[in-house]
Amino acid sequence: MTQIDRTTKPLLAIIGSINIDTVTEVSTFPGPGQTVIGNGRRVSLGGKGANQAAAAAKLNANVSLVGAIGAEDEGRNLVGILTSAGVKTDQIAIIDGVATGHATITVDDHGENIIIVTPGANHSVDTMFIGNHLAVLHDAELVLMQGELLPETIVRVAEACAIVNRRFVLNLAPPLDLPEDILGLADPLIVNEHEARHLGFAPVGDESWETAISQAVGSRVKSIVVTLGSEGAVAADDQGVHRVAAQSVTAIDTTGAGDAFVGALAASLANGATLPVATQYGVRAGSHSVQFRGTVESYPSAQDLSYATSELV
């Protein structure tokens, strides 16, 4: 197999969560007080930071993941999975006395999911932790974060990126209440439609998504991307508004598809693509992911996506 020299590519630094995912498949979700029988169970790598790092690395990006795990064997095994995917893992700390983050995920026959996350070691990634890992920001072309870390950690990284003039991308999932000036540093802010509504970026009345997010550019954010599931995504920056339609595919499992989108988009931006091109790449990666079960194992390689890699990653 041809070896890829990732070091010649711009560095994408991802600061984010690392989880052990326990996934149970069911025919239908249980209601309150109801018990249903599962059809299958699997344990795998998870956490938005880890998922997005793996998604970007599988697309040949030069990725370094900053995060924390517990000292148990299950946590250490996740580092091996990330390394195999091509992620640089030397910035992952092992924290004694605390468990690796864990997500309990239930997936129904329609590919929809319900997720409960226990942060564990991810909450060790605090402002002091970040202070010891600032060197990676200086080396990075782009820094990506998500909403599974402490709000004050996100603020610390965003401000540090502004000081050293590094592009800061924020996937605010799940949505957190952050200061408006921190949202204003995101370039882009990436959210799904539910998160967009929570943050006040959604259309009002008959207003379109394009109109709603274009009004936010320059006033609340530098740029923004809203994912719309099977309808694709819409993005806006100072160059205009861009809608990208998704492929028509049969969804088997939507778990982690948003992370495939974000990882691909960030990898593309780090390599110098425009926001419309990067959004298109993200949509293609997400559409590919939902056709297969699992998270990292469902993410596409560069060869799986029919784009010129010189333009994207």
Side-chain angles (χ1 to χ4, degrees), residues 50-240:
N51 285 349
Q52 293 172 15
K58 289 184 73 171
L59 292 168
N60 301 339
N62 180 18
V63 184
S64 180
L65 177 60
V66 180
I69 58 171
E72 75 274 53
D73 289 341
E74 292 87 348
R76 295 175 187 270
N77 290 340
L78 301 183
V79 176
I81 295 171
L82 287 162
T83 301
S84 296
V87 178
K88 294 178 179 178
T89 58
D90 58 299
Q91 299 293 316
I92 297 176
I94 298 175
I95 310 296
D96 290 325
V98 64
T100 299
H102 189 273
T104 301
I105 303 169
T106 306
V107 182
D108 72 3
D109 282 348
H110 301 288
E112 296 298 330
N113 61 66
I114 295 174
I115 304 174
I116 301 173
V117 176
T118 305
N122 293 312
H123 275 187
S124 298
V125 184
D126 54 16
T127 55
M128 183 177 295
F129 182 103
I130 292 301
N132 295 327
H133 291 79
L134 288 177
V136 72
L137 304 187
H138 292 267
D139 296 333
E141 179 71 21
L142 184 149
V143 178
L144 170 64
M145 292 193 75
Q146 315 79 27
E148 287 186 338
L149 295 184
L150 295 166
E152 55 265 34
T153 303
I154 297 173
V155 170
R156 178 74 170 91
V157 173
E159 292 175 340
C161 286
I163 291 171
V164 298
N165 194 30
R166 294 296 181 269
R167 187 169 187 171
F168 175 66
V169 177
L170 177 59
N171 173 215
L172 201 52
L176 300 172
D177 292 326
L178 295 175
E180 279 291 312
D181 62 330
I182 298 303
L183 291 182
L185 295 175
D187 187 20
L189 173 70
I190 308 171
V191 288
N192 65 25
E193 55 189 306
H194 307 292
E195 294 150 359
R197 293 184 192 283
H198 176 87
L199 296 167
F201 290 103
V204 176
D206 295 332
E207 191 177 51
S208 67
W209 277 104
E210 286 87 342
T211 299
I213 65 172
S214 66
Q215 294 171 348
V217 173
S219 60
R220 296 186 64 192
V221 293
K222 291 182 179 179
S223 60
I224 184 170
V225 177
V226 180
T227 60
L228 302 172
S230 61
E231 295 182 16
V234 59
D237 57 13
D238 59 5
Q239 299 301 304

Side-chain angles (χ1 to χ4, degrees), residues 253-277:
D253 183 359
T254 60
T255 307
D259 293 330
F261 173 94
V262 175
L265 182 147
S268 187
L269 288 178
N271 201 54
T274 63
L275 185 61
V277 169

